[in-house]
Amino acid sequence: MVIGLVVLGGAFVQRNLAQKAAEASLPKGCNARAFGEIGGPLSLVNQDNVAVTEKSFQGKPALIYFGFTSCPDICPLSLQTMTQALDVAKAVPGSKSEAIQPILISLDPERDTPAVLKAYVASAGFPASLQGLTGTNEQIAAAAKAFKVGYRKSVPEGAKPEDYVIDHTSIFYLMDSKGKLATFFSSDPDPKDMGICIAAISKQGL
């Protein structure tokens, strides 16, 4: 038993050292933040009204953003940032960023039908292969909970109830090909720094 514990302890130390060495090789400000509690099961539909789960994306890394199509500024700007960052990442020599699937998960299922999402994800300036996902209120709530995304409906002063907006967490999640979090980028990152970081992490294996 003691020998077994020593072996396991040694393996754990080696893994930690390997992880620290890998992180040390990343650009300044770029961290491999693999929190196991972020991410998880999904049950949604895409812009073509095809049912998808988290297994639909396994085998391929993904860059995920939660937002909504009626968002006046933050969401479209964030998706443009995603485009710019991915373009930067793909241009880095040795990068393996080409395989990354960009994804928008709607937080407004009442208005964001598959048809609405299909038109939206094709907008100029957004990633060419962007997939839009939506579902029922319950399905969206479950996805948001899995990714620790906070959101709530609010009506701007003087607006009609149907002209509500969704206040929400603005984070980009880079998931590896096994559906595990590789890192995340908080609101309004510099697209160049984000792209260089994505490229560096992709070289280590996504």
Side-chain angles (χ1 to χ4, degrees), residues 17 31 60 100-101 122 126 128 148 161 184 192 203:
L17 290 174
N31 299 304
K60 194 172 187 178
I100 295 173
Q101 172 64 60
F126 293 176
K148 306 293 190 262
F184 63 87
K192 183 177 180 180
K203 289 180 182 181

Side-chain angles (χ1 to χ4, degrees), residues 102-195:
I103 297 173
L104 167 67
I105 299 180
S106 173
L107 293 169
D108 186 14
E110 294 176 30
R111 293 183 295 198
D112 287 347
T113 62
V116 169
L117 274 176
K118 188 164 187 172
Y120 187 74
V121 297
S123 299
F126 293 176
S129 58
L130 180 64
Q131 276 209 40
L133 305 182
T134 188
T136 65
N137 282 311
E138 292 75 19
Q139 289 171 326
I140 295 301
K145 182 178 180 181
F147 281 83
K148 306 293 190 262
V149 173
Y151 70 105
R152 65 182 179 87
K153 184 188 295 186
S154 67
V155 179
E157 187 176 352
K160 298 177 181 178
E162 61 268 26
D163 294 328
Y164 63 85
V165 296
I166 306 291
D167 300 322
H168 63 91
T169 303
S170 183
I171 290 178
F172 300 88
Y173 301 89
L174 181 63
M175 312 300 290
D176 68 18
S177 57
K178 296 180 181 178
K180 303 296 183 183
L181 182 73
T183 193
F184 63 87
F185 304 91
S186 55
S187 179
D188 197 27
D190 178 272
K192 183 177 180 180
D193 291 343
M194 180 176 170

Side-chain angles (χ1 to χ4, degrees), residues 7-94:
V7 171
L8 286 174
F12 179 77
V13 170
Q14 286 183 330
R15 273 200 309 273
N16 271 355
L17 290 174
Q19 183 176 351
K20 287 181 179 179
E23 290 188 358
S25 70
L26 295 174
K28 184 177 180 181
C30 177
N31 299 304
R33 299 179 280 196
F35 298 125
E37 67 272 17
I38 292 181
L42 298 174
S43 180
L44 302 166
V45 294
N46 67 15
Q47 71 269 16
D48 294 315
N49 205 25
V50 175
V52 298
T53 69
E54 73 284 356
K55 294 180 181 178
S56 304
F57 302 103
Q58 285 186 1
K60 194 172 187 178
L63 187 58
I64 300 175
Y65 184 79
F66 285 76
F68 63 110
T69 67
S70 300
C71 181
D73 42 35
I74 293 176
C75 300
L77 288 174
S78 294
L79 292 173
Q80 289 168 17
T81 293
M82 183 185 284
T83 300
Q84 295 164 13
L86 288 174
D87 286 346
V88 169
K90 292 170 187 175
V92 174

